[in-house]
Amino acid sequence: MLTRKQHELLRFIQARLEDSGISPSFEEMKDALDLKSKSGVHRLISALEERGFIRRLPNRARALEVLRQPDDAGPTRVPATVSVIDAPAAARPVARSIPPANDVIEIPLHGRIAAGVPIEALEGQSMLPVPAALLGSGEHYALEVSGDSMVEAGILDGDFALVKRTNTARDGEIVVALVRGEEATLKYLRRENGLIRLDPANAAYEPQIYAADDVEVQGKLAGLLRRYH
Amino acid sequence: MLTRKQHELLRFIQARLEDSGISPSFEEMKDALDLKSKSGVHRLISALEERGFIRRLPNRARALEVLRQPDDAGPTRVPATVSVIDAPAAARPVARSIPPANDVIEIPLHGRIAAGVPIEALEGQSMLPVPAALLGSGEHYALEVSGDSMVEAGILDGDFALVKRTNTARDGEIVVALVRGEEATLKYLRRENGLIRLDPANAAYEPQIYAADDVEVQGKLAGLLRRYH
DNA sequence: CTTTTAGTGAACATTGAGAGAACAATCAAG
DNA sequence: CTTGATTGTTCTCTCAATGTTCACTAAAAG
């Protein structure tokens, strides 16, 4: 999954966060990896972000967060901090005196979804409070959207998709589709003579066609949350 | 995740809350960080809030709450919900004006906004519950978006825009702009040699340029909610 | 109502950080 | 050998983070 350098950098960031709590700057990472320029670091960071190992606030200094460990987990705390959006459950283990107002529902944030990348399962890590008005009936969960394959449908990188769990969907609906048990993606669903077509909403990507058996609908898009900084 | 100063301040606040139970004032934080003005503290607090480490009640003295620890958990008690919003109980026997914010805030839905059409004022008609995590500090309100002038920014007809009330905005931010006291529109704000340009995010519409005096910023876009049916 | 204290935020200057183009070197796979 | 991915490096440009001053608003106290 990671190259040698990426791995090395990830470990370094992890270590720094654990003992000082302060993100290393590009300059510091540059030295740690024994490079002579920050550009290399920049690329490595981008790669790590793309692969879902870290998250960062764009255009902010020292704003790194480790989301996943490389597979050789190492002597580190496991789940690591998973929430940017205030994880009430995790951050405050204790009694919530006042129940969330009754027009609000807490739904689990299951991880991220991107075109071509499996959902990172983060089961129960954090909950996201959502106005009930945004959801219909049924069980829902949230996914953070990664990538730009649905931009033309107004779904941007970093948005939170609120998904209703269901196995069925109608043509033209936006669904979370699991392909061959491997890749989960957010796409328009369309059926064509026994086959299933998953359409992105971005001219830069191609529609994909699969046998009906290869595609499992895991839910359909019920709402969307976005945050501007 | 944090810069050195941010980290230092967070630790200080944390420490104070733990042993005295009272939030430090800006003045005290200023001294603790060895600054000569409270403004610096103000910015650091804002950064911490933006990154989700603390929460505060706007315009309230000593109303800080630590939500997360930096990753170097330190010698501190567990996540500790030291929710000491405001002074000790003894000091104020009576009513607490604002309840310790839950994870949900109710904001007023002021009506609809469209390119070229005044906001239909619906003052206080209805409230929309919104996860606190979507909003920063400050006063917010919601508007239903009408029209397609911002589609390329992922803002569609029927979406709810969560707007932070403010008179100022930086270039490139999406703002609610009132033009000549008449038309309120949601647009990208840009300044060009003394003039103000309002850019739509839709190639079918033209940017509009006004004298600075003709445009009043009423708020800036802080979040977005969408529902799919 | 008036003072005092706390918090907000604009403005300006300085320094450090991050983005990204450009180009060369390395190495594994075909 | 050619191709493509990864890496090392240099440079440039913009903007974030910080320190500071000052003016202004809101809330508590008298």
Side-chain angles (χ1 to χ4, degrees):
Chain A
M1 192 65 182
L2 294 179
T3 66
R4 176 170 292 94
K5 276 290 180 188
Q6 287 164 6
H7 188 264
E8 191 180 341
L9 178 57
L10 183 55
R11 302 281 293 219
F12 172 71
I13 294 172
Q14 178 75 24
R16 281 299 277 276
L17 281 177
E18 286 201 6
D19 73 62
S20 75
I22 303 175
S23 302
S25 69
F26 276 43
E27 188 74 22
E28 293 163 337
M29 294 186 264
K30 182 205 76 181
D31 292 340
L33 297 189
D34 204 30
L35 299 181
K36 288 188 181 150
S37 157
K38 292 175 293 185
S39 286
V41 175
H42 189 271
R43 270 178 312 190
L44 289 172
I45 291 282
S46 302
L48 284 175
E49 191 180 13
E50 197 174 299
R51 292 170 200 204
F53 283 83
I54 63 175
R55 160 159 31 192
R56 47 197 315 234
L57 303 181
N59 298 318
R60 285 255 168 305
R62 295 172 185 268
L64 299 177
E65 184 174 11
V66 174
L67 296 175
R68 280 163 64 191
Q69 311 280 310
D71 285 344
D72 62 322
T76 330
R77 236 177 305 148
V78 209
T81 316
V82 180
S83 64
V84 152
I85 295 289
D86 175 22
R92 6 166 101 198
V94 215
R96 164 67 45 76
S97 45
I98 304 170
N102 54 12
D103 38 8
V104 169
I105 298 174
E106 300 226 334
I107 64 177
L109 181 56
H110 275 188
R112 313 222 293 172
I113 186 173
V117 181
I119 294 182
E120 305 158 19
L122 299 177
E123 281 293 343
Q125 286 307 321
S126 64
M127 302 295 281
L128 188 70
V130 172
L134 277 187
L135 308 175
S137 59
E139 184 190 347
H140 294 78
Y141 57 96
L143 296 173
E144 186 178 348
V145 175
S146 169
D148 58 356
S149 68
M150 295 295 284
V151 284
E152 289 163 19
I155 301 173
L156 312 184
D157 187 81
D159 288 357
F160 290 90
L162 311 181
V163 181
K164 172 173 178 171
R165 177 157 282 149
T166 174
N167 298 312
T168 61
R170 279 174 297 184
D171 267 34
E173 289 186 324
I174 298 176
V175 301
V176 174
L178 184 67
V179 179
R180 297 198 192 95
E182 293 172 351
E183 306 180 356
T185 67
L186 195 64
K187 291 283 188 314
Y188 280 110
L189 176 75
R190 292 231 163 58
R191 273 172 273 248
E192 282 182 341
N193 37 312
L195 299 177
I196 288 190
R197 196 170 90 222
L198 299 178
D199 284 334
N202 184 333
Y205 294 79
E206 295 292 315
Q208 302 172 313
I209 300 184
Y210 299 98
D213 286 348
D214 286 345
V215 178
E216 180 194 343
V217 172
Q218 297 198 316
K220 64 181 171 188
L221 189 59
L224 188 89
L225 296 185
R226 180 181 306 153
R227 200 155 78 128
Y228 290 87
H229 291 284
Chain B
M1 194 62 186
L2 296 178
T3 67
R4 178 168 291 90
K5 277 289 179 189
Q6 289 163 7
H7 186 257
E8 194 179 331
L9 178 57
L10 182 56
R11 303 282 293 221
F12 173 71
I13 295 171
Q14 179 75 26
R16 282 298 276 275
L17 282 175
E18 286 199 9
D19 71 62
S20 74
I22 304 175
S23 302
S25 70
F26 275 45
E27 190 71 22
E28 293 165 334
M29 294 187 265
K30 182 205 75 181
D31 292 339
L33 296 189
D34 202 30
L35 298 181
K36 289 188 180 147
S37 156
K38 292 173 295 184
S39 285
V41 175
H42 188 266
R43 270 178 313 191
L44 289 172
I45 292 280
S46 302
L48 284 175
E49 193 177 11
E50 180 189 73
R51 287 161 162 77
F53 283 83
I54 63 175
R55 163 164 24 200
R56 50 196 315 237
L57 303 181
N59 296 319
R60 282 266 170 310
R62 296 173 185 267
L64 299 177
E65 182 179 10
V66 174
L67 297 175
R68 272 166 74 191
Q69 309 280 308
D71 281 347
D72 64 321
T76 331
R77 236 179 299 148
V78 218
T81 304
V82 192
S83 116
V84 173
I85 294 293
D86 223 330
R92 16 163 70 211
V94 215
R96 167 70 41 80
S97 44
I98 297 181
N102 206 328
D103 287 310
V104 172
I105 296 175
E106 299 231 332
I107 65 177
L109 180 56
H110 275 188
R112 313 221 300 168
I113 185 173
V117 181
I119 295 182
E120 305 160 19
L122 301 177
E123 280 292 341
Q125 286 309 321
S126 64
M127 301 296 280
L128 186 69
V130 171
L134 275 186
L135 308 175
S137 60
E139 184 191 345
H140 292 78
Y141 58 94
L143 296 172
E144 185 178 348
V145 175
S146 167
D148 58 356
S149 68
M150 294 296 284
V151 284
E152 287 163 22
I155 301 172
L156 312 185
D157 186 82
D159 288 356
F160 289 92
L162 310 181
V163 181
K164 171 173 176 168
R165 177 158 281 149
T166 174
N167 298 311
T168 63
R170 279 176 297 187
D171 268 32
E173 290 185 324
I174 298 176
V175 302
V176 174
L178 183 67
V179 179
R180 298 199 191 93
E182 294 173 351
E183 307 181 357
T185 66
L186 193 65
K187 290 282 188 310
Y188 280 109
L189 176 77
R190 293 234 159 61
R191 273 173 273 247
E192 281 181 343
N193 36 311
L195 300 177
I196 289 191
R197 197 172 87 223
L198 299 178
D199 284 335
N202 184 334
Y205 294 79
E206 294 292 315
Q208 302 173 312
I209 299 185
Y210 299 97
D213 287 349
D214 286 345
V215 178
E216 180 193 343
V217 171
Q218 299 199 316
K220 65 180 169 191
L221 190 59
L224 188 88
L225 299 184
R226 182 182 306 155
R227 253 172 94 159
Y228 290 88
H229 293 279

